[in-house]
Amino acid sequence: MSTSDTSRLYEISDLYDYESLLTTPETNALSRLRGFLAAEVAPIVDEYWERGEFPEHLVEGFVGLGMLAPKELGDDIPRPLFEGFRTLEIARVDASISTYFSGQATMITSAVLHGGSPEQVAKWMPRIRNYDMRGVFAITEPDHGSDVARGLETTATRHGDTWILDGEKKWIGSAAYATHVCVVAREATGETRAFLVPTDSDGVQLEKIRGKASLRIVNNAHITLSGVRVSESLRLHGVERFSDIGAMLRHMRASVIWQAAGVQVGAYEAALRYAGTRRQFDRPIASFQLVQEKIAHMLGNITASIGMAARLAQLQETGVYRDEDSAMAKYWVSARMRETVALGREICGGNGLLLEHGVMRFFADAEAIYTYEGTNEISALVAARAATGISAFV
């Protein structure tokens, strides 16, 4: 089980000690990750967030950490529960850095594991784990987000053992730092395909999306594909229809739930520090009843959110990956996240608008997490469809 209470990672924010569900090697790996984040990430994120730039030097730091296959776990494949706490720990420091990490740890990993043939999995997964292959997932298009299953416009045309890709993708995080983009496209016959497209291929154009007010550190790309030639060997052979893409998305969505929980933890810890040191009317504001109610509300949201995420991870470990499970968690935890970061901002008053007090980044970044990997409306409809047996999709 976990290490002693005196060395708990989450003793401030983990009221029900969900960390105790982890093994000692898992907790040790998270401790090492926390050390890296405290030394290398936390001191610089405000500066890079304000500049709207990604700290590229951190890429090699994450490679060196080896968190995709932590040494503490030996030859064991990381459990979904450990993967969740790993995401929480990074998001607790910064949501943008967590988004970058998840592109490698979750998105391209899920695409290959659940879309590739056994031979492709054997070829690509070792390269993903050691970052020799750095990938991102591209399904969203300029005119198609929630309706992409029906509206997918990027086309794939086969000529022998070569495919020609044409179309556009939007909001593709960290594509500028990837060697490959997993592009979802559709044949003229209607079948859905997925391809591991090298980013240096002729006809691939990456344009940074500017003017964002959320996840400002993430370099989101608008990708244009103009007659891009891809070999049959780079097509994920397990993808024949959109339901195969859905299997990937179910796994990806679980990571975002943990990310939403981690953002809450980061905002809560920042607000708690502020409330303990900020004095008004000759006393710390943490002594005021209205502030304490906000603190209790935030902690309740966090406790419930981690509990839902942890239970989902346990189900996944048994092989349960139902759409309604991940959709319900995304719907509910994202809504609690919005409440939590808003309460943290309120506790800090006008000073909460300043990056230096820690809550404003989480407040702004929560808006992106609330929307991506399934908007709240779509997530609610998926969960309610399972509950009622009736689809409300138009």
Side-chain angles (χ1 to χ4, degrees):
M1 299 301 288
S2 68
T3 53
S4 66
D5 284 346
T6 57
S7 60
R8 283 178 57 200
L9 286 173
Y10 308 106
E11 57 187 346
I12 294 175
S13 48
D14 185 6
L15 184 66
Y16 288 177
D17 194 17
Y18 293 113
E19 185 199 340
S20 65
L21 298 172
L22 297 171
T23 65
T24 297
E26 289 171 334
T27 304
N28 290 340
L30 289 177
S31 295
R32 185 163 58 86
L33 172 61
R34 171 171 283 195
F36 170 79
L37 295 169
E40 304 295 334
V41 179
I44 66 171
V45 288
D46 285 346
E47 174 190 351
Y48 278 89
W49 195 92
E50 189 165 23
R51 284 160 45 182
E53 296 178 5
F54 180 78
E56 297 183 37
H57 66 278
L58 290 181
V59 173
E60 292 306 318
F62 275 108
V63 173
L65 270 177
M67 275 295 130
L68 298 185
K71 60 185 180 183
E72 291 86 351
L73 304 187
D75 295 330
D76 292 340
I77 297 174
R79 296 189 299 156
L81 190 66
F82 169 79
E83 292 177 330
F85 272 100
R86 181 182 63 189
T87 298
L88 183 150
E89 182 61 37
I90 302 173
R92 170 186 162 270
V93 175
D94 183 70
S96 293
I97 301 301
S98 174
T99 298
Y100 162 76
F101 180 82
S102 292
Q104 186 78 359
T106 303
M107 291 192 170
I108 196 64
T109 295
S110 296
V112 171
L113 280 178
H114 304 288
S117 65
E119 294 77 16
Q120 289 175 318
V121 171
K123 174 183 178 179
W124 289 106
M125 283 310 300
R127 297 182 62 186
I128 290 172
R129 292 192 179 107
N130 66 20
Y131 281 81
D132 180 45
M133 187 269 217
R134 303 178 188 183
V136 294
F137 185 75
I139 184 171
T140 302
E141 298 182 347
D143 295 323
H144 300 286
S146 296
D147 73 341
V148 72
R150 299 178 182 178
L152 187 66
E153 293 185 18
T154 300
T155 61
T157 306
R158 186 167 187 170
H159 299 279
D161 287 335
T162 300
W163 293 82
I164 308 298
L165 305 183
D166 289 281
E168 298 177 68
K169 298 295 180 180
K170 193 172 183 180
W171 298 113
I172 312 307
S174 304
Y177 314 112
T179 61
H180 294 75
V181 176
C182 181
V183 173
V184 179
R186 178 168 286 152
E187 285 194 79
T189 52
E191 287 88 352
T192 301
R193 307 297 185 192
F195 303 86
L196 299 177
V197 180
T199 53
D200 60 358
S201 300
D202 290 339
V204 175
Q205 179 181 349
L206 306 178
E207 179 184 357
K208 180 179 179 179
I209 297 174
R210 302 184 182 278
K212 291 188 304 170
S214 185
L215 294 182
R216 287 177 49 78
I217 290 177
V218 177
N219 186 331
N220 289 93
H222 184 148
I223 302 177
T224 302
L225 306 161
S226 302
V228 179
R229 302 175 67 86
V230 183
S231 70
E232 166 65 9
S233 64
L234 292 176
R235 179 178 69 84
L236 292 179
H237 295 159
V239 177
E240 301 291 341
R241 56 193 62 84
F242 197 86
S243 60
D244 298 322
I245 300 298
M248 300 177 187
L249 295 175
R250 282 193 291 275
H251 290 74
M252 296 176 189
R253 192 172 294 120
S255 175
V256 180
I257 295 159
W258 283 97
Q259 191 176 31
V263 164
Q264 293 183 69
V265 171
Y268 171 74
E269 292 177 347
L272 201 61
R273 288 192 299 269
Y274 184 86
T277 58
R278 174 67 169 175
R279 298 183 66 85
Q280 293 288 278
F281 306 101
D282 296 322
R283 48 196 293 207
I285 64 171
S287 68
F288 298 144
Q289 291 182 354
L290 289 176
V291 171
Q292 290 201 1
E293 192 279 334
K294 289 179 172 60
I295 289 171
H297 195 148
M298 295 175 76
L299 185 56
N301 282 350
I302 290 168
T303 303
S305 294
I306 298 178
M308 184 173 279
R311 180 56 183 156
L312 184 62
Q314 291 173 330
L315 290 172
Q316 291 173 332
E317 192 168 353
T318 67
V320 177
Y321 284 92
R322 299 184 304 180
D323 284 336
E324 57 265 34
D325 297 328
S326 57
M328 173 55 73
K330 174 59 166 65
Y331 166 72
W332 196 88
V333 175
S334 292
R336 302 292 77 73
M337 172 188 62
R338 247 187 174 182
E339 289 180 352
T340 301
V341 298
L343 288 168
R345 225 289 298 151
E346 289 177 17
I347 288 173
C348 296
N351 283 335
L353 299 174
L354 299 174
L355 293 175
E356 67 184 84
H357 295 293
V359 296
M360 194 60 208
R361 263 190 302 108
F362 296 113
F363 181 87
D365 290 345
E367 287 303 292
I369 298 169
Y370 183 77
T371 298
Y372 66 36
E373 295 299 325
T375 65
N376 248 40
E377 294 84 358
I378 294 298
S379 297
L381 291 179
V382 172
R385 179 179 61 191
T388 63
I390 302 171
S391 176
F393 287 94
V394 295

